[in-house]
Amino acid sequence: MANNRGIAYKGPGKVEVVDLEYPELVLKDGPGVNPANVGRQVPHGAILKIVTTNICGSDQHMVRGRTTAPEGIILGHEITGEVVEAGPGVEFIKEGDICSVPFNIACGRCRNCKERKTGICLNVNPDRPGSAYGYVDMGGWQGGQAEYVMIPYADWNLLRFPDRDQALAKILDLTMLSDIFPTGYHGCVSAGVTTGSTVYIAGAGPVGLAAAASAQLLGAAVVIVGDLNQDRLNQARSFGCETIDVSQGDPQDQIEQILGEPEVDCAVDAVGFEARGHGKDAQVEQPATVLNSLMTVTRAGGALGIPGLYVTGDPGAADDAAKVGSLSIRLGLGWAKSHSFTTGQCPVMKYNRQLMMAILHDRVQIAKAVNATVIGLDDAPRGYREFDQGASRKYVIDPHNVTGKVAA
Ligand code: NAD
Ligand code: ZN
Ligand code: ZN
């Protein structure tokens, strides 16, 4: 019966609101579901009524046709919701709890989960380590840009907010805990950001802006954000960041103008494989640009946090090497400077509780930093379009108008 609705990817540039079955505690077949996952029983799962679910730059890679995502896949990995049913194997999460869902799906039982590496859980995706809701190659767990969604291993995966009224009052901040706030924070932590650091963050999309707010929270002395989108650079300046327009040339010179030296202590790639070139190449896609430039601008002995996504299959890449994710990385430079690199999915669970406390106690204004913008489910196609065109907004879908902010 169609008593759920969600956002489906319908081919390059196209998303649609579609009718869906109400979720059950079983992983059903559908577009992109790994055959070995079909019929998987989920007594440890919970059904959530979605409170908020955000559109992400990671979704855009799929919607732009830059991944092998199949048509029909239901999108959405940034989920906050109210538990409306807890499976028979769920002990501690209760009906009525309002929870943040880490975008990584993890079992809590495997070697990697036990090491808190929940971005590469071994038991939830037969294709490869690591999984997520509504994402290509991630096992086929249905996405949460919908009215209802099923969450496996609910006791392990869900972060319960302590107070319902307080949670709803701060929901636009708390909704960022499912992905971009921990991801930006992880980018900074893995780049070694601490008190007094100088930091360069490539990319002023929601992840870059979340990284910038995180760098401030961690005590950085100077936070510099680079992009070629003026609105997004203005957004970064609105909360005290220095900015660099990479269309004016390589970041190194502009970093020198800001800091008096051409290098920073720490660097974060919040762009990924759809990176533009610098200077006169700014309108051209050059997937290795950011990684190479971060090695140039990071001090010897420094570290690069790389939350920006790199793929193993890109049908839209300019050359054959890039089609399988091989890029011209100048690793010799990074080696000569003894750089450390941290890549991969952010293990959200490592950070979400502390960042929730920072939000609840007003230590950070993350919704404001990323310009959270509420839309209804029916407006999601417009949200995708505007975000793709570079709007300096983080679109938050509120399918049941819980915030009261959805335009009629
Ligand atoms: P986004 O597409 O909104 O932002 C990317 C920004 O990079 C854009 O504003 C673009 O103009 C800018 N850009 C392009 N080339 C640049 C260059 N050479 N230098 C500086 N800026 C440049 O995406 P987002 O939502 O902010 O996400 C950023 C990346 O992080 C994406 O690749 C996304 O898939 C990835 N991501 C990873 C994780 C993780 O767990 N690792 C989680 C969430 C998102
Ligand atoms: Zn995301
Ligand atoms: Zn696991």
Side-chain angles (χ1 to χ4, degrees):
M1 203 169 65
N3 37 17
N4 185 16
R5 296 188 312 145
I7 308 299
Y9 167 61
K10 289 285 192 174
K14 242 177 118 187
V15 299
E16 261 173 33
V17 184
V18 297
D19 287 335
L20 296 172
E21 283 179 39
Y22 188 80
E24 293 174 46
L25 298 173
V26 57
L27 207 172
K28 293 187 184 163
D29 203 1
V33 179
N34 187 300
N37 248 356
V38 173
R40 186 166 172 165
Q41 297 298 310
V42 191
H44 42 69
I47 310 291
L48 263 57
K49 178 179 176 184
I50 307 293
V51 174
T52 51
T53 173
N54 322 321
I55 299 176
C56 181
S58 298
D59 298 322
Q60 294 286 12
H61 298 308
M62 288 190 285
V63 174
R64 290 186 189 123
R66 296 300 298 273
T67 70
T68 50
E71 289 187 20
I73 188 173
I74 304 301
L75 303 170
H77 59 271
E78 301 194 5
I79 304 167
T80 306
E82 176 177 348
V83 176
V84 290
E85 180 187 342
V90 178
E91 264 194 283
F92 306 110
I93 288 287
K94 302 285 178 231
E95 231 182 274
D97 287 348
I98 298 193
C99 302
S100 179
V101 185
F103 78 87
N104 334 94
I105 302 170
C107 74
R109 293 143 158 87
C110 72
R111 173 183 177 174
N112 284 343
C113 283
K114 286 174 181 172
E115 293 177 3
R116 304 194 82 189
K117 297 174 182 159
T118 52
I120 41 172
C121 171
L122 301 172
N123 287 335
V124 282
N125 178 6
D127 271 327
R128 57 169 84 172
S131 181
Y133 305 86
Y135 214 83
V136 58
D137 294 334
M138 291 289 127
W141 302 89
Q142 194 165 87
Q145 286 170 9
E147 293 172 341
Y148 298 90
V149 71
M150 186 267 287
I151 306 296
Y153 306 102
D155 280 322
W156 168 253
N157 282 310
L158 293 175
L159 173 69
R160 190 169 64 84
F161 299 140
D163 180 85
R164 186 190 174 87
D165 292 340
Q166 183 194 35
L168 291 174
K170 290 191 181 287
I171 198 70
L172 292 189
D173 293 284
L174 295 170
T175 192
M176 305 307 166
L177 292 172
S178 58
D179 182 348
I180 62 165
F181 193 15
T183 295
Y185 192 83
H186 174 63
C188 288
V189 167
S190 55
V193 178
T194 182
T195 310
S197 303
T198 57
V199 186
Y200 175 61
I201 295 162
V207 172
L209 295 170
S214 299
Q216 292 175 339
L217 194 58
L218 287 160
V222 185
V223 181
I224 307 171
V225 180
D227 205 302
L228 43 110
N229 175 321
Q230 298 309 321
D231 290 343
R232 291 181 168 195
L233 291 175
N234 289 340
Q235 182 64 24
R237 275 195 295 276
S238 76
F239 60 97
C241 302
E242 302 282 344
T243 57
I244 281 180
D245 179 353
V246 299
S247 71
Q248 299 303 305
D250 204 74
Q252 197 174 19
D253 299 335
Q254 298 178 66
I255 286 174
E256 184 158 25
Q257 283 165 26
I258 294 166
L259 293 179
E261 56 182 346
E263 288 185 331
V264 290
D265 297 328
C266 316
V268 177
D269 174 352
V271 180
F273 73 105
E274 291 191 64
R276 301 302 176 103
H278 292 153
K280 62 178 175 23
D281 292 331
Q283 289 322 311
V284 186
E285 206 176 281
Q286 292 183 349
T289 302
V290 171
L291 292 173
N292 287 333
S293 109
L294 294 193
M295 288 188 269
T296 304
V297 303
T298 303
R299 74 184 174 96
L304 278 60
I306 310 176
L309 185 78
Y310 291 86
V311 289
T312 51
D314 173 7
D319 59 66
D320 285 345
K323 282 194 167 79
V324 293
S326 287
L327 310 181
S328 291
I329 310 290
R330 198 177 170 210
L331 191 64
L333 177 60
W335 195 94
K337 293 171 93 173
S338 288
H339 284 157
S340 315
F341 299 79
T342 303
T343 60
Q345 283 190 15
C346 165
V348 168
M349 211 183 281
K350 213 164 150 181
Y351 307 102
N352 62 357
R353 175 172 299 281
Q354 298 94 301
L355 295 177
M356 171 185 79
M357 293 304 283
I359 290 170
L360 294 179
H361 293 275
D362 295 321
R363 306 302 299 175
V364 63
Q365 304 297 325
I366 189 68
K368 208 169 159 203
V370 302
N371 198 14
T373 304
V374 178
I375 58 174
L377 193 66
D378 291 304
D379 263 344
R382 173 176 65 86
Y384 269 93
R385 207 164 45 242
E386 292 177 3
F387 187 45
D388 183 50
Q389 288 160 358
S392 186
R393 295 176 182 281
K394 175 72 175 173
Y395 287 97
V396 177
I397 301 169
D398 172 358
H400 302 279
N401 199 11
V402 173
T403 60
K405 290 184 178 166
V406 176

